Amino acid sequence: MKETLTWRQIIAQQWYLTKFCFKKAPGFMAYHLFECIKLQVSIFMEFTWAVNYVLTVVEQGGDFRKVLWCMGILMAAIAVSTVTFAIYKHYVFPRGKQTLYQALRMEIYEKAKEIDLSCYDDKDFYENFILATEETDRCLDRYLAFETSIIARSVGALSSIIYCAYINPAALLVMAVVVPLELLCVAQENKKRVAARLERLPHEQQREYGNRVFYLSDYAGELRLYPQMKDTCREDYAEENHKIEAVNKKYGKQLFAYGLFHDVLLSRIVKEGAVWSLLLYQMLVLRVLSGAQLVTSRSCIWRTSSNIEVIIDSLRTVAENSAYIYRIREFLQMKPTIVSENEKAVPEGSGSLSIDHVDFGYLPGRPVLKDVTFAVEPGQKIALVGYNGSGKTTLVKLLLRLYDPDAGKICYHGEDIKKYQVMSYRRSIGSVFQDFKLYAATLKENVLMDVEDGSRDENYNVEKALYDAHFTLENNRLFYQIETPLTTEFEKDGVNLSGGEAQKVAIARTLYRKQNLIIMDEPSSALDPLAEYRLNQELNEIAKDKTVIFISHRLSTVRDADCIYMMENGRIVESGTHEELLAEDGKYAAMWKIQAGLYSDVC
């Protein structure tokens, strides 16, 4: 991400957002521009043209009825303008802003779904993603404010300049000298502002993480069990605050100097002194200005100056905002590396799955999987077992094509999975991860993970999936059955499920979709051995005509599998049925003996 952008790049970012806004909300943007221009035209007519007209009539001894007619027409125009502005402010603007917020956020969310999971392991990407989500609404707010300032104030400044050029062109000389200096000062000041914001960003993210630890329910229990962590978190929070303060101090003196030079020296002393000196000289010495012309000239110069100052302030904002838009666009323009080679559809029904000499590592030179090879036939139940860190979950991510192998290939239905349309392939596989999440939504929505259609069949299938997963709907806490809200974050009637209950909901998600290939990554780790054994017996019955891959380090889960693959340090070191592996008396047998006491009662 660039700390500063050239003016050409700044214009490009604003043009991008302009096209986006007019595409998503054309009616709102047209009304917005109309009100921006109308406001400045009204101000010019009321405070410049009308004042000059009235004073000129008075100085020339004109008819008072002309003044009354002028004021009457002006008041009628103001009344109409007030009505249209009220409609804009209280109805059009709030609705239009929300439309734009939603449109840009949806583009970011859709991109977040599309890009590779590996991107989230990259610090630079994650900073881009966080900034994109945090700055979306603010970027649009700043853009709309900038548009108002630039367009409206440009109209106001232009109308005052043209009128001043008509009645007293010499007064414009002051503006021609001072404004370029102001623009140069603003450009330098903006570079410092953007640099300061980007230097603060990583520390603000660290501070926000520390802040979340203290208010998210996920951490509440841990903080009570380990109170010393509170002090550690507080220290980290304070340290990040000190770093942010250091950045502010680093740039504060420079920004103060630029502000002093621009706001005080240029705008007040030099510009105001020069204007009054020139106008009084024209009126009192040269005798070329009337009273009406002096007042109007001063009004034109003041309004031109005021509008230009707002425009300059807006240029500060727009340069900073463009840096954020640039980063958001970088995020939106990211291309996934996991793509389909020919968008082939996944065949219907069960198919064979083969993993052929697969190598993979999250970081170069640090392999996690090494030469993994095995095959799964349609309807077969196989298990991947091993101690934590052996590579089981990583292999699952490759099977779901969340990552691509560094070497080797994975085939499904006899075809390399890279040839299938990515999302279609992923949807063809049912999966339960060990780090699944429940959402602040109803129980039904947590099973569906999709938009409800409210049909009777849908409700029946959700309830059946929960029943098959051994989730008890008759629980007294579930007042609304499948419509019961989960978590108490937003609903006072919400229910916080136990770890085992939550895991059953995650399993029900997979059972609801009825895929032919199911991957269970530690599907019952939160259950006691007896409940685990019974659930796995049920799963084997439910999925008797499906291909199932169990991943576990608890061997009671997988003893009935058709084939068991023992993994260690990213390799398959043993394979066979439970009885065959016990007979080999190798690593699997040793692991079985260690765990035997935990589930001997259910074997």
Side-chain angles (χ1 to χ4, degrees):
M1 165 63 184
K2 300 181 178 180
E3 291 189 356
T4 57
L5 304 178
T6 65
W7 281 108
R8 178 175 294 181
Q9 289 173 319
I10 290 172
I11 292 171
Q13 308 318 310
Q14 296 306 305
W15 179 239
Y16 162 79
L17 209 51
T18 298
K19 291 190 295 183
F20 174 86
C21 290
F22 271 94
K23 178 181 178 181
K24 300 298 182 180
F28 163 68
M29 292 303 296
Y31 202 160
H32 179 66
L33 290 179
F34 168 74
E35 285 297 332
C36 292
I37 295 170
K38 186 200 69 179
L39 178 62
Q40 289 300 316
V41 171
S42 299
I43 291 173
F44 169 76
M45 294 299 295
E46 183 178 356
F47 295 101
T48 302
W49 179 85
V51 169
N52 183 66
Y53 178 80
V54 171
L55 290 177
T56 300
V57 170
V58 171
E59 283 186 338
Q60 295 176 357
D63 190 345
F64 182 65
R65 285 176 296 182
K66 293 182 179 180
V67 175
L68 290 178
W69 272 106
C70 174
M71 292 298 101
I73 293 172
L74 189 62
M75 291 302 103
I78 291 174
V80 173
S81 175
T82 301
V83 172
T84 60
F85 182 75
I87 295 172
Y88 163 77
K89 180 179 179 181
H90 298 293
Y91 180 74
V92 176
F93 188 70
R95 290 168 63 91
K97 270 208 314 184
Q98 291 304 317
T99 298
L100 295 178
Y101 288 166
Q102 181 177 352
L104 187 53
R105 281 191 174 277
M106 287 306 298
E107 289 205 2
I108 291 172
Y109 294 155
E110 289 300 322
K111 176 58 67 174
K113 290 195 303 183
E114 173 189 332
I115 56 179
D116 305 332
L117 187 64
S118 59
C119 291
Y120 291 88
D121 302 327
D122 183 271
K123 178 179 179 294
D124 292 335
F125 161 81
Y126 198 65
E127 284 188 3
N128 264 15
F129 176 63
I130 292 296
L131 191 68
T133 54
E134 286 184 348
E135 291 293 329
T136 300
D137 294 355
R138 288 193 285 268
C139 273
L140 286 168
D141 286 340
R142 286 189 290 257
Y143 167 74
L144 293 173
F146 161 74
E147 187 182 58
T148 300
S149 298
I150 292 297
I151 295 176
R153 298 293 182 159
S154 295
V155 170
L158 186 60
S159 59
S160 296
I161 289 172
I162 293 173
Y163 201 66
C164 189
Y166 171 69
I167 62 173
N168 186 13
L172 297 176
L173 293 175
V174 176
M175 306 303 300
V177 174
V178 176
V179 169
L181 292 175
E182 290 184 309
L183 290 173
L184 180 61
C185 182
V186 167
Q188 295 302 315
E189 183 180 358
N190 176 70
K191 289 182 181 179
K192 299 298 180 183
R193 287 181 183 274
V194 174
R197 174 70 177 92
L198 294 177
E199 196 168 325
R200 286 194 304 266
L201 181 62
H203 303 305
E204 289 173 346
Q205 290 174 354
Q206 292 270 8
R207 183 177 64 178
E208 176 58 26
Y209 173 77
N211 190 38
R212 292 202 305 271
V213 167
F214 281 99
Y215 73 76
L216 287 182
S217 60
D218 298 1
Y219 301 97
E222 297 292 333
L223 288 177
R224 282 156 180 76
L225 289 173
Y226 304 100
Q228 63 271 24
M229 278 302 297
K230 295 180 182 178
D231 296 331
T232 302
C233 289
R234 286 195 185 101
E235 290 171 5
D236 292 342
Y237 188 86
E239 182 181 352
E240 295 306 323
N241 267 334
H242 289 316
K243 290 178 180 178
I244 292 170
E245 288 174 7
V247 174
N248 291 337
K249 289 178 180 178
K250 174 182 174 182
Y251 291 96
K253 294 179 180 178
Q254 301 172 53
L255 292 172
F256 173 76
Y258 282 118
L260 186 66
F261 178 74
H262 170 251
D263 297 332
V264 178
L265 184 62
L266 276 180
S267 296
R268 294 291 175 260
I269 298 175
V270 175
K271 188 163 59 180
E272 291 292 333
V275 167
W276 278 113
S277 297
L278 176 62
L279 292 179
L280 291 174
Y281 180 76
Q282 286 180 302
M283 182 177 182
L284 300 176
V285 179
L286 299 180
R287 307 284 184 178
V288 294
L289 285 185
S290 65
Q293 288 175 322
L294 182 141
V295 172
T296 305
S297 296
R298 177 65 189 92
S299 176
C300 285
I301 294 173
W302 184 84
R303 295 204 172 279
T304 300
S305 175
S306 176
N307 284 321
I308 290 177
E309 284 182 10
V310 173
I311 291 173
I312 290 173
D313 284 338
S314 298
L315 292 177
R316 293 175 184 166
T317 303
V318 76
E320 180 181 354
N321 202 41
S322 294
Y324 300 140
I325 298 170
Y326 185 91
R327 181 170 278 195
I328 290 173
R329 290 184 70 189
E330 276 190 330
F331 174 76
L332 291 175
Q333 290 167 1
M334 290 185 68
K335 299 296 183 183
T337 57
I338 297 180
V339 295
S340 307
E341 292 183 357
N342 58 12
E343 298 289 323
K344 189 172 182 178
V346 180
E348 297 287 338
S350 297
S352 61
L353 178 70
S354 64
I355 293 84
D356 187 18
H357 299 289
V358 164
D359 294 342
F360 176 76
Y362 294 102
L363 296 173
R366 297 185 184 179
V368 177
L369 298 176
K370 308 162 195 172
D371 196 31
V372 176
T373 299
F374 66 90
V376 186
E377 295 303 319
Q380 196 173 22
K381 310 295 184 292
I382 72 126
L384 299 172
V385 301
Y387 293 105
N388 290 337
S390 60
K392 306 184 300 295
T393 296
T394 297
L395 183 55
V396 171
K397 292 176 181 177
L398 295 182
L399 292 176
L400 290 168
R401 213 183 167 206
L402 299 176
Y403 295 85
D404 277 337
D406 297 331
K409 66 178 181 178
I410 300 173
C411 295
Y412 187 44
H413 284 278
E415 288 279 3
D416 191 330
I417 62 175
K418 292 182 180 180
K419 294 182 179 180
Y420 294 127
Q421 200 279 329
V422 176
M423 294 308 297
S424 173
Y425 170 73
R426 290 173 183 164
R427 283 194 291 266
S428 71
I429 302 174
S431 60
V432 179
F433 285 105
Q434 57 183 313
D435 57 348
F436 65 90
K437 301 295 181 184
L438 292 186
Y439 298 89
T442 66
L443 174 59
K444 177 182 177 181
E445 289 167 333
N446 270 280
V447 174
L448 286 175
M449 296 296 286
D450 202 350
V451 179
E452 301 180 44
D453 64 27
S455 67
R456 183 175 300 176
D457 287 344
E458 181 182 73
N459 290 341
Y460 171 78
N461 289 329
V462 168
E463 291 175 358
K464 185 176 187 304
L466 288 165
Y467 176 80
D468 291 340
H470 285 208
F471 185 91
T472 307
L473 277 173
E474 289 73 24
N475 189 313
N476 292 333
R477 294 183 300 157
L478 302 176
F479 298 110
Y480 309 109
Q481 294 294 284
I482 61 173
E483 297 298 337
T484 301
L486 300 188
T487 82
T488 56
E489 187 169 357
F490 302 113
E491 300 285 347
K492 65 179 181 180
D493 294 332
V495 173
N496 289 316
L497 300 180
S498 68
E501 290 173 323
Q503 205 153 36
K504 291 175 183 178
V505 173
I507 293 170
R509 289 173 182 167
T510 296
L511 299 180
Y512 175 81
R513 282 160 185 76
K514 303 180 177 63
Q515 289 100 335
N516 292 297
L517 172 59
I518 299 176
I519 299 175
M520 297 284 190
D521 185 4
E522 304 284 3
S524 51
S525 59
L527 304 179
D528 61 77
L530 181 59
E532 177 188 49
Y533 179 77
R534 289 174 176 171
L535 175 61
N536 281 295
Q537 292 298 311
E538 290 290 337
L539 288 175
N540 283 329
E541 179 62 27
I542 294 166
K544 59 185 177 182
D545 57 343
K546 301 179 186 296
T547 305
V548 182
I549 300 175
F550 285 99
I551 292 88
S552 181
H553 64 272
R554 288 166 63 169
L555 303 186
S556 63
T557 304
V558 301
R559 58 174 295 181
D560 295 328
D562 297 321
C563 187
I564 300 171
Y565 296 91
M566 178 75 183
M567 296 189 69
E568 185 178 69
N569 297 323
R571 298 180 183 274
I572 293 178
V573 294
E574 295 176 0
S575 63
T577 64
H578 174 71
E579 289 74 17
E580 290 171 346
L581 291 174
L582 288 181
E584 287 184 15
D585 198 26
K587 295 181 181 296
Y588 178 87
M591 190 175 181
W592 172 264
K593 290 172 184 177
I594 292 172
Q595 295 185 7
L598 298 176
Y599 46 78
S600 57
D601 292 339
V602 296
C603 293

